[in-house]
Amino acid sequence: QQPVQSPQAVILREGEDAVINCSSSKALYSVHWYRQKHGEAPVFLMILLKGGEQKGHEKISASFNEKKQQSSLYLTASQLSYSGTYFCGTDHGGATNKLIFGTGTLLAVQP
Amino acid sequence: DTAVSQTPKYLVTQMGNDKSIKCEQNLGHDTMYWYKQDSKKFLKIMFSYNNKELIINETVPNRFSPKSPDKAHLNLHINSLELGDSAVYFCASSRYSTGTSYGYTFGSGTRLTVV
């Protein structure tokens, strides 16, 4: 049931763009995105609710395709500070607000 | 002020010992969680409490017992520690509603090493 993320890892130069995908085998109620830097806690980036909306957070945005049970995170003009492991978290509805986190994508931005 | 605080940050202990990890949040959130992050970085839900009521209890050995004395605190007690319990344990909190979904705020984690 764990959502699958792709790619597993990506290396970028500063200023390049990246896309991280999250795919679930179950119907989604919402998708969360988090970034975790080495040795630190995951930090909430954004949430996408049912409705296929796209959200933005500075140069980081995301989309949600309910039909395909997928979400994508878009990082444009990447900065060194974007480095870290990105996790999607899927909420399949119900009364618990439970998140199942994806397999993670390691992003390294080099100067 | 720290929003979600966990103590201790590091815990090194021998197999067979019993240990506790404490978590407190000052965000006024209704729901608190325990997640385990293993060496492969997978984040796995263990437990969740909503206003002191246990609402998520995943397949976790009985040696793990959560306790929530009030909605701002969630502790995790582990009996008879095993080598496989070594991991980083994260506490998190969020607002709660049956009609929507809210982002989590994580604590800084407790790195547990069982030797």
Side-chain angles (χ1 to χ4, degrees), chain B residues 2-105:
Chain B
T2 306
V4 181
S5 59
Q6 282 180 240
T7 53
K9 193 166 173 63
Y10 299 97
L11 192 49
V12 181
T13 187
Q14 291 187 325
M15 278 175 57
N17 283 350
D18 304 338
K19 289 293 177 188
S20 292
I21 306 172
K22 298 188 176 206
C23 180
E24 176 181 0
Q25 55 96 3
N26 62 3
L27 296 165
H29 287 167
D30 303 300
T31 309
M32 297 183 74
Y33 313 82
W34 280 113
Y35 276 81
K36 178 181 179 181
Q37 187 169 45
D38 62 22
S39 56
K40 292 183 179 176
K41 303 293 185 189
F42 293 148
L43 274 162
K44 193 172 176 191
I45 179 90
M46 299 174 71
F47 302 103
S48 174
Y49 273 77
N50 183 51
N51 275 323
K52 303 194 295 177
E53 180 188 349
L54 182 66
I55 58 171
I56 297 174
N57 186 355
E58 294 292 295
T59 308
V60 175
N62 290 339
R63 300 180 294 102
F64 290 79
S65 53
K67 275 203 173 61
S68 181
D70 56 60
K71 76 172 195 176
H73 295 84
L74 179 61
N75 303 323
L76 183 65
H77 187 76
I78 316 169
N79 289 327
S80 304
L81 278 155
E82 300 177 357
L83 293 176
D85 298 332
S86 296
V88 180
Y89 291 84
F90 284 103
C91 175
S93 72
S94 73
R95 290 172 62 191
Y96 175 82
S97 168
T98 54
T100 190
S101 187
Y102 293 100
Y104 287 12
T105 302

Side-chain angles (χ1 to χ4, degrees), chain A residues 14-68:
Chain A
E14 263 187 300
E16 291 181 339
D17 302 341
V19 180
I20 299 171
N21 301 303
C22 173
S23 185
S24 174
S25 58
K26 283 180 66 175
L28 296 171
Y29 179 75
S30 72
V31 178
H32 298 214
W33 285 97
Y34 293 77
R35 175 171 60 213
Q36 183 178 28
K37 292 186 180 282
H38 182 69
E40 298 181 9
V43 173
F44 174 68
L45 293 176
M46 67 187 76
I47 183 173
L48 299 104
L49 300 174
K50 262 175 88 162
E53 62 182 290
Q54 186 148 350
K55 293 192 84 169
H57 182 270
E58 298 179 344
K59 292 179 184 172
I60 302 174
S61 61
S63 63
F64 177 21
N65 187 322
E66 287 167 57
K67 234 177 183 178
K68 292 186 178 178

